Amino acid sequence: MKEIYPIVKDIYYKKGSTSFYVRKAVRAFIFKDNKLCLIHINGKDKFGLRDHYETPGGGVEDDENLELALQREISEETGFVVKNITEIGKISIEYNLINRIDEENFFYCEYDSEHEKALLDYEKELFKELSWFTIDEAIYMYTHMKTINCGTMIHERDLNALLYLINYVKPELKMN
């Protein structure tokens, strides 16, 4: 998948090691009625206090291709079934605290239907709600919401993938 942005560098946590594990991951911009679904993350975990929005997604398991992982992650975190999946590109993000670099493969998709979510225990604590934003609202939120720690890195990652999506992959989204 095409690299669309330089690596998001972790300037918030001290490096614990000089070697990093690289994890393949997927992220989704899910659209319904010209609005984008994001997850509001709020709480405390090993990264400290968190209060930010992010795209649904997560790690690719050994037996999965990117699209299967995307559909599984979306289903688990949102309860959505999606259609019209389109590749956007890849952005890597560095996490010093856990000695990991996530190669985040972004996709555009459209909401199709819904069922019960299957959140993990830690996700039940952090995932507060699904929120729907217009493109302009999402860009404003990503650029103006005060965030700290990994939330700031996540907003940088998602904002740059969103800008790439609306400028190069699906410019017609700017018209809606």
Side-chain angles (χ1 to χ4, degrees):
M1 188 175 285
K2 177 183 169 71
E3 191 83 43
I4 59 174
Y5 187 77
I7 187 168
V8 175
K9 297 295 272 178
D10 186 344
I11 61 170
Y12 302 97
Y13 303 94
K14 185 178 178 182
K15 278 190 179 179
S17 170
T18 55
S19 63
F20 283 80
Y21 164 72
V22 177
R23 179 181 85 146
K24 251 189 186 170
V26 291
R27 305 231 63 93
F29 287 114
I30 304 168
F31 281 84
K32 177 184 176 186
D33 300 326
N34 297 319
K35 290 201 171 184
L36 166 64
C37 181
L38 298 173
I39 300 172
H40 184 203
I41 306 296
N42 191 306
K44 188 174 183 179
D45 65 4
K46 64 179 132 194
F47 290 100
L49 290 175
R50 296 177 64 179
D51 185 11
H52 62 271
Y53 288 86
E54 68 180 58
T55 49
V60 176
E61 296 177 0
D62 290 337
D63 60 340
E64 293 178 314
N65 63 34
L66 294 178
E67 190 168 321
L68 279 175
L70 181 76
Q71 291 174 354
R72 176 185 51 76
E73 286 290 343
I74 290 170
S75 176
E76 290 172 358
E77 294 183 0
T78 67
F80 298 164
V81 175
V82 296
K83 61 184 179 182
N84 299 328
I85 298 169
T86 304
E87 183 180 293
I88 299 170
K90 177 173 62 173
I91 297 177
S92 295
I93 185 169
E94 176 182 84
Y95 294 105
N96 289 337
L97 190 65
I98 56 175
N99 300 321
R100 188 174 80 200
I101 293 175
D102 281 4
E103 290 182 352
E104 304 279 7
N105 297 276
F106 281 86
F107 294 84
Y108 163 90
C109 48
E110 296 169 2
Y111 172 94
D112 185 49
S113 60
E114 201 167 331
H115 57 79
E116 190 70 29
K117 295 180 209 173
L119 296 173
L120 300 171
D121 287 340
Y122 82 92
E123 292 171 328
K124 289 176 186 173
E125 295 295 318
L126 286 176
F127 291 21
K128 298 306 179 196
E129 64 185 342
L130 298 177
S131 298
W132 294 89
F133 296 90
T134 65
I135 297 246
D136 289 342
E137 289 168 339
I139 291 170
Y140 185 85
M141 181 274 306
Y142 278 138
T143 57
H144 287 80
M145 181 180 179
K146 183 155 178 63
T147 58
I148 59 171
N149 305 328
C150 70
T152 304
M153 299 181 327
I154 288 166
H155 277 204
E156 178 183 349
R157 174 199 70 193
D158 286 2
L159 172 64
N160 283 287
L162 179 60
L163 292 173
Y164 192 87
L165 169 66
I166 65 173
N167 286 313
Y168 300 105
V169 180
K170 292 215 171 263
E172 64 273 15
L173 290 170
K174 290 193 285 190
M175 305 307 227
N176 295 326

